[in-house]
Amino acid sequence: MNLNDSQNNQPWNRRLAKNIQDILRWLHPGLGVKRWVLVVFIGTTFLAMGFALFVLDVYRQSPDTWWLPILSAASLQTLPRLVRIIIFVLLGVGGLSVGIININRSILGPFIRPGSQVVDSLERHRAKKQGPNIVTVGGGHGLATLLRGLKLVTRNLTAVVSVADDGGSSGRIRETLGILPPGDVRNCLAALSNDEELLTQLFQYRFSQGNGSLEGHSFGNLFISVLADITGSFENAIAESGRVLAVYGRVIPSTLENLVLTADIAEADSGKTIRVEGESQIPEVEGVIKRVMLKPEKPAANPQAIQAILQADMIVTGPGSLYTSILPNLLVPDISAAMRSTQALKVFVCNLATQKGETEKFTCGDHLQVIENHLRGGLFDIVVVNDMPPQQFNSRVKGVEIDPQLSVKYNVYAADLVDREFPWRHDSSRLTEVLVDLLAERTGPLII
């Protein structure tokens, strides 16, 4: 039995009360409906006045018109004037409300989820539009996981992503076409998509072996690359791609310069420090990463990213690859400077698991110490860390532990953040709930 069948089986008085309640919901503050109801009411009033004047004019010219007795009966002239006014007002308001609701259902019905009402979707849309201004900083699958949860809370969402990727499809496109790598941007756009399942699958589709020069490329990367050529810039290509996917929020590169990520790594065998160039090559070297750097050393930040950070209510850094997703953003001087200047609540979300080639045997404190070694401390207000030991890790992956003394140096919020299906990843809804609670403690309850 669906929702409509269940409502039809209710007693008439309950159905009437429910319908009246649904009609009154259209008058709730913040929906932006009342002003248009008033416009429709004024327009209908003038239309009724015009029709009444027409009838009076016809009556004066021909008092014995045959349809006047019918009109007289329909106007309830046998009843007292006050009673007639009340009846006609109720009929007018009721008819107008039912008409508007059913017109909305007819127009918007195909785009509303089954069992849901237009006013429900409108309330959710308005709530998200008035939601907190949240900026995320990072890249890779960790950032995409975070965005899938946050898009259910607010439309005022900005993802500041790294452009240091030089591997796989993104690296080939970057080398061939000379544009910024679209991979992390594509993942974020797909994560922010408005439940457009087919389009998201299309955007993430990767050509398999046997497709010639297309082998290994994702359709989304090629799509963004073509749009960059058509629109004249990588930024415009991202914006147009967002419209196609109907995304909740924006995706912004941290810089528009062509970055190369380099690292000094102490080799595991010899202990000798070597310099490795290229984001994709860094995790492949057996050893300990001592430091990562950008080339050019001080790239100019994307002005849109700076503006978003300075206007944010909350800035969330991570989860994501520490050396190859998070630091490439923070090492852009104006990005880290803007984060220090903003009044936003700054949160660092620590990874659930260590990462081969980057953070093997790392604790949460080790992650933060690496960031402090590259930048001055005090960049984050709160550290969010998982306190539920992830299970089902394979032998090469280890969960990130919480240092016993971590809370002495940082404000730590520990919670169960494990995705039960993929225990090496964050559960997007659990993580979002924690972040919303932290922001609410600072700003007061949020309208969600």
Side-chain angles (χ1 to χ4, degrees):
M1 179 182 294
N2 60 33
L3 181 63
N4 293 330
D5 292 336
S6 176
Q7 290 178 347
N8 292 334
N9 291 331
Q10 293 179 354
W12 69 269
N13 56 334
R14 289 189 179 181
R15 292 202 306 271
L16 178 61
K18 180 66 169 59
N19 289 334
I20 293 175
Q21 185 179 14
D22 288 342
I23 291 173
L24 293 177
R25 287 176 63 195
W26 286 93
L27 303 179
H28 284 183
L31 292 182
V33 172
K34 294 189 293 296
R35 70 196 71 169
W36 304 117
V37 171
L38 179 61
V39 171
V40 172
F41 174 76
I42 293 174
T44 305
T45 301
F46 280 111
L47 183 63
M49 291 173 60
F51 178 71
L53 291 173
F54 169 75
V55 171
L56 290 174
D57 187 60
V58 171
Y59 176 74
R60 290 191 187 98
Q61 296 181 18
S62 180
D64 56 348
T65 303
W66 65 269
W67 48 266
L68 286 177
I70 300 175
L71 183 63
S72 177
S75 61
L76 306 177
Q77 290 189 3
T78 57
L79 297 177
R81 181 184 296 272
L82 180 60
V83 174
R84 283 189 290 157
I85 291 173
I86 294 174
I87 291 175
F88 285 126
V89 167
L90 290 177
L91 288 174
V93 172
L96 188 62
S97 301
V98 172
I100 292 175
I101 291 174
N102 281 282
I103 287 174
N104 277 294
R105 285 175 178 169
S106 299
I107 296 174
L108 300 177
F111 308 99
I112 303 300
R113 293 181 178 178
S116 182
Q117 298 185 31
V118 175
V119 67
D120 294 326
S121 299
L122 183 58
E123 284 181 339
R124 287 194 296 268
H125 172 81
R126 288 289 182 177
K128 291 176 184 177
K129 192 173 181 180
Q130 298 172 2
N133 197 335
I134 300 177
V135 174
T136 62
V137 180
H141 295 291
L143 181 57
T145 298
L146 174 64
L147 294 174
R148 287 190 187 95
L150 290 177
K151 75 177 182 182
L152 303 178
V153 174
T154 179
R155 287 182 177 268
N156 302 315
L157 186 58
T158 302
V160 178
V161 301
S162 167
V163 290
D165 189 8
D166 66 347
S169 172
S170 292
R172 290 163 59 191
I173 288 175
R174 178 179 180 177
E175 182 179 354
T176 304
L177 302 180
I179 66 171
L180 295 178
D184 282 349
V185 170
R186 183 198 78 243
N187 285 330
C188 291
L189 288 173
L192 290 173
S193 177
N194 178 21
D195 199 27
E196 296 288 341
E197 185 175 352
L198 180 59
L199 281 176
T200 300
Q201 290 183 20
L202 177 65
F203 220 60
Q204 295 286 57
Y205 177 81
R206 192 173 294 275
F207 293 95
S208 58
Q209 188 174 3
N211 286 284
S213 59
L214 294 179
E215 181 180 329
H217 280 300
S218 73
F219 176 82
N221 285 355
L222 298 175
F223 184 84
I224 294 173
S225 303
V226 172
L227 272 180
D229 186 46
I230 293 174
T231 61
S233 75
F234 191 69
E235 288 179 287
N236 291 337
I238 296 173
E240 293 300 326
S241 299
R243 292 188 182 95
V244 170
L245 290 174
V247 301
Y248 286 160
R250 299 184 299 163
V251 181
I252 299 174
S254 57
T255 178
L256 299 177
E257 294 192 28
N258 189 14
L259 288 185
V260 176
L261 186 67
T262 63
D264 289 337
I265 303 177
E267 290 184 302
D269 295 335
S270 64
K272 179 182 177 182
T273 299
I274 62 172
R275 177 155 295 184
V276 179
E277 188 170 291
E279 180 268 344
S280 62
Q281 300 302 313
I282 293 173
E284 301 300 321
V285 178
E286 294 287 341
V288 178
I289 301 175
K290 296 297 186 180
R291 191 171 189 84
V292 293
M293 296 144 287
L294 298 179
K295 187 188 294 185
E297 184 179 353
K298 296 181 178 180
N302 185 344
Q304 292 186 36
I306 298 299
Q307 182 181 27
I309 290 171
L310 294 177
Q311 294 177 347
D313 298 311
M314 171 185 274
I315 300 172
V316 184
T317 303
S321 301
L322 176 61
Y323 289 103
T324 54
S325 291
I326 293 176
L327 279 173
N329 291 297
L330 300 181
L331 288 175
V332 178
D334 289 340
I335 294 291
S336 54
M339 289 181 62
R340 296 184 191 281
S341 300
T342 183
Q343 297 300 309
L345 178 65
K346 291 163 284 191
V347 180
F348 177 76
V349 179
C350 190
N351 290 341
L352 283 175
T354 61
Q355 185 175 355
K356 185 177 183 299
E358 288 200 35
T359 57
E360 292 172 292
K361 300 181 180 180
F362 268 39
T363 64
C364 180
D366 292 333
H367 284 75
L368 292 161
Q369 188 61 52
V370 166
I371 294 177
E372 288 194 9
N373 290 342
H374 286 77
L375 304 155
R376 288 187 293 110
L379 197 59
F380 307 111
D381 299 317
I382 298 177
V383 176
V384 172
V385 61
N386 170 63
D387 65 356
M388 177 64 69
Q391 305 298 324
Q392 302 175 16
F393 282 134
N394 60 42
S395 58
R396 295 177 299 173
V397 181
K398 180 177 180 295
V400 173
E401 297 179 357
I402 305 176
D403 309 68
Q405 301 299 317
L406 186 65
S407 59
V408 175
K409 191 173 182 181
Y410 303 97
N411 295 318
V412 179
Y413 189 99
D416 177 7
L417 303 173
V418 178
D419 186 324
R420 297 301 187 261
E421 186 176 357
F422 304 101
W424 54 91
R425 297 180 185 174
H426 285 85
D427 183 289
S428 59
S429 59
R430 292 169 186 260
L431 180 56
T432 297
E433 184 178 351
V434 166
L435 294 174
V436 168
D437 289 344
L438 290 174
L439 183 58
E441 288 182 9
R442 188 185 208 196
T443 63
L446 305 178
I447 302 174
I448 299 175

